[in-house]
Amino acid sequence: MIIVPIKEGENIERALKRYKRKYNDIGIVRKLRKRQAFQKPSDVRRRMMEKARYVQSLRQEELDA
């Protein structure tokens, strides 16, 4: 549960903005999306390798340029 104490005289929009920031920082939405469907460990490793290759190619292009 996220608790955002409201200070005396504070605008409700500002308190809501702080709540949303805390909500995003905790990563609740990311966790929920990740749990929606099971991913096989081999698929997870494959995606990690593809991402690593892509990042490495970008860095290599940056060095060549």
Side-chain angles (χ1 to χ4, degrees), residues 25-56:
D25 289 344
I26 292 174
I28 294 173
V29 176
R30 273 184 269 131
K31 289 178 187 175
L32 287 175
R33 287 185 181 151
K34 185 177 180 182
R35 292 180 185 172
Q36 278 182 342
F38 176 76
Q39 293 180 347
K40 290 174 30 180
S42 60
D43 289 341
V44 173
R45 279 193 306 273
R46 185 180 316 117
R47 284 196 184 92
M48 286 175 58
M49 291 296 290
E50 288 173 355
K51 183 178 177 181
R53 283 188 201 112
Y54 175 71
V55 170
Q56 187 175 13

